[in-house]
Amino acid sequence: MDDLLKFIHARYEADNHAYAEVAHRFGGEAILDSHLPMLDLIDMLARDREAMDPTDPRFVGLTYTLRMLAQSYAEHPDYREEWRP
């Protein structure tokens, strides 16, 4: 699971850099404004999962949620099939 969390954090960073590049070239309206808050929320979930005690009743559900969200990057060369829910 640690590798999945690192993968999610790396995708978050890459997506933010890509957003900044597109916004710089084409203006802030070129990408939906809702994209950045969504990235922030996914990264926040990953950070919460890292800090959560495995005995917390939310732990299993949060793990499943992160696996589901990571599927949006299934075409990325670093994505692993073992991460599928």
Side-chain angles (χ1 to χ4, degrees):
M1 189 65 184
D2 289 341
D3 289 340
L4 175 60
L5 295 174
K6 288 177 188 174
F7 177 79
I8 289 172
H9 289 306
R11 301 292 57 80
Y12 167 78
E13 292 293 326
D15 284 351
N16 271 321
H17 284 103
Y19 178 86
E21 179 66 25
V22 169
H24 175 72
R25 287 184 183 204
F26 302 107
E29 291 80 33
I31 296 180
L32 294 174
D33 290 337
S34 62
H35 186 69
L36 286 181
M38 182 60 71
L39 290 176
D40 289 341
L41 291 171
I42 293 169
D43 193 60
M44 186 186 322
L45 287 174
R47 291 179 191 284
D48 286 350
R49 167 57 174 68
E50 288 174 320
M52 190 176 283
D53 185 327
T55 62
D56 188 309
R58 301 170 295 167
F59 189 80
V60 173
L62 184 51
T63 299
Y64 180 80
T65 299
L66 289 169
R67 287 174 182 249
M68 290 295 293
L69 291 168
Q71 285 187 96
S72 63
Y73 297 104
E75 299 300 317
H76 190 278
D78 294 336
Y79 182 83
R80 299 179 190 168
E81 283 298 313
E82 66 204 47
W83 293 337
R84 288 197 186 276

